[in-house]
């Protein structure tokens, strides 16, 4: 059974940092691109970042470029998102999602982890 | 950036109804479009990819069509499990989502 399990969310002050993790199982993690997508309360889904299967290529939304870093450890079947200089507008549920290729749709999503940026 | 606009934002329907949701792209995206279903507090679930390809395991009452800038998701006979919010997503140039269409009970 395919599973993606996010962790690491929580309450953080503006300007602070947080690292999210996404543990994958039930498929060959190293064969798939993976991404982070977030959803602020009552808002639409917003793509955040994606990384290729090998980890060589990474892409970021303009809203997080220079503040967030995506990475993966294929030996641990885990995806990460390092989030620095957090702002109130980063408050959202963060989902990890996988796709066959870096350029395609997302065929499976995790259940998400909530990040709240507030003083 | 490619903008995605869905209509309507909310749709009230009854079990057995035929339901159609429209998604428009701000520029030509060929058929690089997916549809997702999301229920409250849950992750999105892939229904359709490449505009009209049904994801494995998704009931055949769901179908997608369109190309270029205009796309539709059709549910041929609405079932109780289908009351949810539906999002379109373009993946022609990075990834952007529509604002969602909530399908609720009339």
């Amino acid at each position: 059974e395919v599973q993606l399990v996010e962790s690491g969310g929580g309450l953080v002050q503006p300007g602070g940092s947080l690292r999210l993790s996404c543990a994958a199982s039930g498929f060959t993690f190293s064969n798939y691109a993976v991404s982070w997508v977030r959803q602020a309360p009552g808002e639409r889904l917003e793509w955040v970042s994606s990384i290729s299967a090998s980890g060589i290529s990474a892409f970021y939304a303009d809203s997080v470029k220079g503040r967030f870093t995506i990475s993966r450890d294929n030996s641990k079947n885990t995806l990460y998102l390092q989030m620095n200089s957090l702002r109130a507008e980063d408050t959202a549920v963060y989902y990890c999602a996988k796709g066959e290729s870096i350029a395609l749709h997302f065929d499976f999503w995790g259940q998400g982890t909530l990040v709240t940026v507030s003083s | 950036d490619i903008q995605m606009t869905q209509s309507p934002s909310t749709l009230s329907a009854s079990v057995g109804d035929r339901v159609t949701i429209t998604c428009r792209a701000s520029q030509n995206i060929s058929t690089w479009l997916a549809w997702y279903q999301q229920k409250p507090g849950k992750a999105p679930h892939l229904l359709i990819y490449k505009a009209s390809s049904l994801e494995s395991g998704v009931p055949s009452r769901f179908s997608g069509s369109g190309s270029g800038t205009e796309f539709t998701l059709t549910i041929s006979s609405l079932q109780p499990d289908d009351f949810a919010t539906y999002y379109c997503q373009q993946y022609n140039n990075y990834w952007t989502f529509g604002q969602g269409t909530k399908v609720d009970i009339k």
Side-chain angles (χ1 to χ4, degrees):
Chain A
E1 180 193 6
V2 173
Q3 287 196 29
L4 293 169
V5 180
E6 302 91 338
S7 61
L11 175 63
V12 61
Q13 291 189 339
S17 298
L18 213 53
R19 188 175 86 152
L20 305 184
S21 299
C22 173
S25 60
F27 64 102
T28 305
F29 182 68
S30 58
N31 287 350
Y32 288 83
V34 276
S35 302
W36 291 99
V37 178
R38 67 186 180 184
Q39 188 171 36
E43 298 296 321
R44 74 175 71 190
L45 298 158
E46 179 191 15
W47 169 71
V48 172
S49 182
S50 296
I51 189 166
S52 61
S54 65
I56 290 175
S57 300
F59 304 91
Y60 299 92
D62 287 344
S63 58
V64 306
K65 203 172 291 183
R67 300 188 298 124
F68 290 12
T69 302
I70 193 171
S71 62
R72 63 189 296 162
D73 186 337
N74 285 345
S75 68
K76 295 183 178 178
N77 292 340
T78 303
L79 171 70
Y80 302 100
L81 186 68
Q82 178 66 43
M83 305 187 295
N84 298 331
S85 303
L86 282 162
R87 306 167 180 166
E89 55 264 37
D90 296 318
T91 294
V93 174
Y94 284 72
Y95 297 100
C96 64
K98 75 175 192 60
E100 275 193 25
S101 161
I102 192 73
L104 295 181
H105 56 279
F106 307 141
D107 58 24
F108 189 85
W109 301 56
Q111 289 302 303
T113 187
L114 176 62
V115 172
T116 303
V117 184
S118 175
S119 56
Chain B
D1 289 9
I2 300 175
Q3 310 302 319
M4 305 300 292
T5 305
Q6 291 179 232
S7 60
S9 294
T10 306
L11 188 160
S12 296
S14 301
V15 172
D17 284 354
R18 181 180 181 87
V19 166
T20 298
I21 298 169
T22 298
C23 177
R24 289 186 173 86
S26 60
Q27 59 187 267
N28 187 351
I29 60 169
S30 184
T31 54
W32 301 115
L33 184 106
W35 289 97
Y36 300 88
Q37 178 193 69
Q38 187 179 34
K39 296 181 178 178
K42 301 293 186 183
H45 175 68
L46 176 67
L47 301 173
I48 302 283
Y49 62 95
K50 208 148 187 312
S52 61
S53 295
L54 190 68
E55 174 70 351
S56 176
V58 173
S60 59
R61 63 181 179 272
F62 291 93
S63 64
S65 65
S67 66
T69 61
E70 188 153 337
F71 303 86
T72 59
L73 173 70
T74 300
I75 309 172
S76 60
S77 177
L78 197 66
Q79 298 301 301
D81 192 48
D82 301 339
F83 292 99
T85 299
Y86 294 85
Y87 292 94
C88 62
Q89 175 209 38
Q90 70 80 21
Y91 49 101
N92 179 72
N93 183 16
Y94 297 105
W95 300 264
T96 49
F97 296 86
Q99 81 277 21
T101 295
K102 183 178 180 180
V103 177
D104 62 20
I105 300 172
K106 184 186 284 186

